[in-house]
Amino acid sequence: MTYRRAVIPALVGGLLITLLLWWAGASEQALHLRGTSSVFDVESVTELRRWLAPWSYDPPTGSLSDGAAGGDAASTGGTRYSDLYSTALQIRFVAVFVFFVAGALLLVHRIPPTQGRTPATLLAVWAWAPVAATLALTVSAPWLIVSRGHGSYRFLPQLAGAIASSGPVTVFVGLLTALATVLVARITAKDAEPQPRQSVPPRAARLAASVGTAVVALSVVILSYQSVAAWIQTSFGGGGLLSEPGDLLRQWLLLGAWTDPATGPLGDWLLYRAADALVLVVVWWALRLLPGLLTRTTVPAMAVGAICATVWGLLASQVLHMAIDDTVDVWGPVYLFSKLGTGIPAALTFGILAGPAALVTLRLAGGRDTDESPGEVGR
């Protein structure tokens, strides 16, 4: 699909995800109404507020500085910090639109929903939605932190907390957005020239997928081991504004957390490790299929595809964790989804590395690329 055709579904998806997140944030105040407790239990209401708070224009109570104590100075200070909070949300919504459109444009262009690619396009665009939301949280976080009146205090830990605050709402919103994007993409691709799937040598595809998966395994197996994770958390010092980078490094480097089965039943330990292994299985399978799904295997396409593959590996492992979790009766049914969508920053880091590594391996192993289809060049 040409960029001229792909830009329409990408823009539709960008507008939809922005509107849905804005609506979700605007709905956060409804959870403060008295009748809410008769519909949800207290724990579920608290969890839902946490999901929606990052997208709400109404700041949490007491989160903004009151300025000087008393008088006009307090009013002026409070207004100034409220304006900063509004600016942070404006940047956040603009950023989520821009990041989603950029990624969806590339995905729909390189994996058009034709020739049996529709499920792959849907899954890729769905996985990109929480990635775009995470990037939007990242670029808007400094304004949000400053709006609290103490931006110079433990800035990097605050930044890590702001980035990790998206929650499962972007996963659910991403599903609706992906469905609409792919539907529009199929309509715009009706009269387009058919682009058959590439023929990739199986041995080259398997070798490339193995190398890309090994990059992701560096985080899942090595960096996520308890002693290594603790070293990452505590070994990097610094001073002033950039002190205490451990929380931020863990956020962008760790796809899991595990240790030896020193305590607890061995069966439970193996079950949780099966969830970690599932990440690598999903990543390998997706990278194995990715070169054949792409209309052309370029570095950006492989990088974005590997990011989406890693995100789906994480989501698959989190669904398995949900199946074996036994805390629902204590914390409420909403808590079951509380971990959904965590680890996206690390998926972004290692997906960017895994995609080009798989592409280089594919080239060295003899995987040849096809030329652009006629009429696509220059559009």
Side-chain angles (χ1 to χ4, degrees), residues 21-248:
L21 289 175
W22 176 85
W23 173 77
S27 303
E28 191 266 343
Q29 288 299 314
L31 296 174
H32 294 273
L33 299 177
R34 292 183 178 180
T36 306
S37 58
S38 63
V39 179
F40 302 102
D41 55 86
V42 176
E43 291 81 5
S44 296
V45 170
T46 303
E47 188 66 18
L48 287 172
R49 288 176 185 170
R50 185 182 69 83
W51 293 5
L52 303 179
W55 307 99
S56 174
Y57 266 93
D58 296 315
T61 304
S63 66
L64 304 183
S65 174
D66 294 329
D72 294 336
S75 176
T76 302
T79 301
R80 184 184 305 116
Y81 289 115
S82 297
D83 290 342
L84 281 171
Y85 185 87
S86 297
T87 300
L89 267 294
Q90 292 167 9
I91 294 172
R92 182 165 295 181
F93 283 110
V94 171
V96 76
F97 173 81
V98 171
F99 284 124
F100 182 85
V101 169
L105 180 62
L106 180 62
L107 289 170
V108 174
H109 173 59
R110 292 299 179 197
I111 314 177
T114 57
Q115 300 293 325
R117 297 187 184 98
T118 301
T121 310
L122 176 64
L123 293 176
V125 175
W126 186 2
W128 182 253
V131 174
T134 297
L135 291 172
L137 291 172
T138 303
V139 300
S140 63
W143 284 267
L144 184 68
I145 294 170
V146 172
S147 72
R148 296 169 181 164
H150 45 82
S152 61
Y153 173 70
R154 303 185 76 242
F155 176 78
L156 294 183
Q158 290 186 76
L159 182 61
I163 294 171
S165 64
S166 179
V169 64
T170 56
V171 178
F172 298 131
V173 166
L175 174 59
L176 298 176
T177 303
L179 289 171
T181 302
V182 172
L183 177 61
V184 175
R186 284 188 62 87
I187 295 174
T188 57
K190 274 188 176 181
D191 299 326
E193 184 176 340
Q195 295 174 309
R197 297 177 61 167
Q198 295 188 59
S199 177
V200 181
R203 178 181 174 276
R206 288 194 295 267
L207 186 59
S210 299
V211 171
T213 305
V215 174
V216 177
L218 174 65
S219 173
V220 176
V221 178
I222 299 176
L223 298 184
S224 296
Y225 184 61
Q226 186 180 47
S227 59
V228 180
W231 178 81
I232 294 173
Q233 177 78 37
T234 59
S235 295
F236 296 92
L241 189 65
L242 300 181
S243 62
E244 303 182 64
D247 290 340
L248 191 62

Side-chain angles (χ1 to χ4, degrees), residues 220 257-259 265-279 317 320-327:
V220 176
W258 68 281
T259 186
L266 180 61
D268 292 345
W269 184 87
L270 291 174
L271 190 58
Y272 278 94
R273 299 294 71 78
D276 295 333
L278 184 59
V279 176
S317 69
L320 180 56
H321 277 294
M322 289 162 52
I324 61 179
D325 193 2
D326 58 355
T327 60

